Amino acid sequence: MRDYWHSLTSREQLLISFAGALASLVLVYFLVLRPLQIHAADSERALQAAQNTLRTVQMRVAQLQATVDAVSNRADGGAPVSLRVAVSQAARNAGVSISRLQPSDDGTLTVWVDSSQSTALYQWLQTLAEEQGVGPSNVLLQKNSSGDGLRAQVRFVGIAE
């Protein structure tokens, strides 16, 4: 091999050396640098996803804490509001007219609404969930025979006074 190398002219030796150096650079790029770049980009995407997840979890924790505070009424130091009062106040604020309330011995409260707009009804249930931490266990919705509004029967589980 040395004999072959020495048999080449200095120009040929220079071209072969240059080609070898170029091939070495290409191999270093594709075998070392490019995988590092790909790994860095993947790591950056993973970091962004983790930060988004952290923000979502922190937001949900804050919402949960606000719900717990509203349920226990710690914000103003008052006594917790009964389920019956909470449901009635939220309905009044949402513009939902409750036609009948029926507390049961097992701690449930069933509420009947004869006619309400769907947006007001959903706002009532959302307000109860967000501010009082009270969600319905059963909901039965029917379209009124007159075609305007909904009839609803909603059952809440909790201590009804």
Side-chain angles (χ1 to χ4, degrees):
M1 188 68 153
R2 286 180 184 243
D3 292 334
Y4 175 73
W5 180 256
H6 291 297
S7 69
L8 297 174
T9 66
S10 62
R11 181 176 179 204
E12 291 171 335
Q13 288 176 350
L14 181 64
L15 286 174
I16 291 174
S17 297
F18 182 73
L22 186 61
S24 297
L25 287 174
V26 168
L27 286 174
V28 166
Y29 176 76
F30 283 110
L31 296 177
V32 177
L33 295 178
R34 187 68 182 138
L36 287 175
Q37 289 173 338
I38 291 170
H39 180 69
D42 290 345
S43 297
E44 182 65 30
R45 280 192 294 275
L47 175 64
Q48 291 297 324
Q51 288 173 338
N52 289 339
T53 302
L54 176 63
R55 280 192 292 275
T56 302
V57 168
Q58 288 172 335
M59 181 183 67
R60 297 285 165 93
V61 166
Q63 289 173 344
L64 181 61
Q65 187 61 48
T67 302
V68 167
D69 288 346
V71 169
S72 65
N73 226 356
R74 280 189 262 160
D76 62 351
V81 177
S82 73
L83 179 62
R84 190 178 205 175
V85 172
V87 168
S88 299
Q89 286 176 348
R92 193 174 320 110
N93 293 341
V96 174
S97 177
I98 295 176
S99 59
R100 190 169 132 204
L101 276 165
Q102 181 179 359
S104 299
D105 292 335
D106 61 356
T108 62
L109 177 68
T110 306
V111 178
W112 284 267
V113 177
D114 286 338
S115 180
S116 177
Q117 295 300 317
S118 60
T119 54
L121 196 61
Y122 294 135
Q123 180 63 38
W124 170 52
L125 294 174
Q126 182 178 3
T127 300
L128 277 171
E130 290 176 355
E131 294 179 5
Q132 300 296 329
V134 175
S137 62
N138 294 351
V139 177
L140 175 64
L141 296 175
Q142 295 176 332
K143 189 173 182 180
N144 276 340
S145 58
S146 62
D148 59 337
L150 299 173
R151 296 182 64 168
Q153 179 181 346
V154 184
R155 182 174 178 225
F156 298 96
V157 176
I159 302 172
E161 297 176 7

